[in-house]
Amino acid sequence: EIVLTQSPGTLSLSPGERATVSCRASQSVSSTYLAWFQQTPGQAPRLLIYGASRRATGIPDRFSGSASGTDFTLAISRLEPEDSAVYFCQLYGSSRWTFGQGTKVEIK
Amino acid sequence: QVQLQESGPGLVKPSGTLSLSCTVSGDSINSNSWWTWVRQSPEKGLEWLGEIYHSGSTNYNPSLRSRVTISLDKSKNQFSLRLTSVTAADTAMYFCVRVVYESDSTLFDYWGQGTQVTVSS
């Protein structure tokens, strides 16, 4: 079973700053199946990035994703107050979809 | 606009069976999508339960395979989840999701709002 480890657990930044969220997979898998989601309180997760670096429909270009081996990164440039949320990575492997434990991004 | 809406009991007794339905609007169950269940709890985080295609083909999380069944009701444009022998560990928010598999990517693009299920006597 693939384990996804996200870091940091919480990120506290000011508006306009850049946020970087990391996700490390316990084994090598195709980045084709790597996605990032945003979840705000009381809401369902929202697809941000799929295929490691492709933005979903309607997602601002402030959000970007990248991959290097088993390491995946979500970057949010020019943070805005509405970016305050929990961010999850997701990956397919070992016959199942697995999610990371989440990174909370707080806007000061 | 694609919308998914979960429905079902919010309280299930231990050792009982959890049954939920998801009504799809704005898309057909017969489309080229996989209809999926995901749950979320503070203890386990987000957990993929399984998926079904309009042909009836299914895939389940290996850790839950013996207890999970996902089925279709095409006449109602719905799909359903059945989870047997539930325990307190199955208490979670349950989401239904549309998943589109493309040649080089996969999109969990539309989610229901979720329904809370508590396992308790």
Side-chain angles (χ1 to χ4, degrees):
Chain A
E1 181 181 352
I2 292 176
V3 175
L4 296 178
T5 303
Q6 289 187 231
S7 62
T10 302
L11 208 47
S12 186
L13 296 166
S14 299
E17 290 193 302
R18 177 184 178 87
T20 301
V21 181
S22 296
C23 174
R24 173 166 289 177
S26 58
Q27 56 187 274
S28 180
V29 291
S30 172
S31 62
T32 295
Y33 300 114
L34 191 283
W36 289 95
F37 296 86
Q38 176 194 63
Q39 188 177 33
T40 52
Q43 300 296 314
R46 172 195 182 196
L47 178 65
L48 295 176
I49 300 287
Y50 64 97
S53 60
R54 300 167 69 171
R55 276 186 300 277
T57 303
I59 302 303
D61 60 7
R62 301 185 293 104
F63 292 87
S64 63
S66 61
S68 177
T70 57
D71 292 326
F72 304 92
T73 302
L74 172 70
I76 313 171
S77 63
R78 308 183 304 278
L79 277 168
E80 298 187 2
E82 61 263 31
D83 298 332
S84 179
V86 179
Y87 293 84
F88 297 93
C89 57
Q90 178 208 39
L91 191 62
Y92 182 81
S94 302
S95 302
R96 76 193 77 190
W97 289 95
T98 302
F99 293 86
Q101 81 277 20
T103 293
K104 185 175 185 178
V105 173
E106 298 177 337
I107 310 299
K108 294 178 184 175
Chain B
Q1 175 75 349
V2 178
Q3 292 184 318
L4 293 86
Q5 178 67 57
E6 305 88 351
S7 59
L11 182 64
V12 182
K13 288 183 167 42
S15 77
T17 297
L18 181 159
S19 296
L20 297 174
S21 293
C22 180
T23 301
V24 179
S25 58
D27 192 9
S28 169
I29 285 285
N30 288 314
S31 70
N32 190 29
S33 301
W34 284 76
W35 305 99
T36 301
W37 289 96
V38 173
R39 68 181 181 182
Q40 184 175 31
S41 66
E43 296 77 23
K44 295 183 182 179
L46 287 161
E47 183 177 27
W48 176 78
L49 304 181
E51 60 187 1
I52 190 166
Y53 194 60
H54 64 75
S55 63
S57 179
T58 54
N59 295 301
Y60 297 123
N61 188 320
S63 66
L64 294 166
R65 182 172 287 133
S66 63
R67 298 197 294 131
V68 174
T69 303
I70 297 175
S71 58
L72 295 170
D73 186 336
K74 294 185 177 183
S75 66
K76 296 180 180 178
N77 216 41
Q78 288 180 344
F79 63 106
S80 298
L81 171 72
R82 188 169 178 267
L83 183 65
T84 60
S85 305
V86 297
T87 68
D90 295 307
T91 293
M93 181 72 77
Y94 285 75
F95 296 98
C96 56
V97 188
R98 187 185 84 163
V99 179
V100 176
Y101 287 90
E102 299 180 344
S103 59
D104 59 350
S105 57
T106 306
L107 290 81
F108 281 58
D109 59 359
Y110 287 97
W111 294 62
Q113 65 186 25
T115 188
Q116 177 67 37
V117 178
T118 301
V119 178
S120 174
S121 56

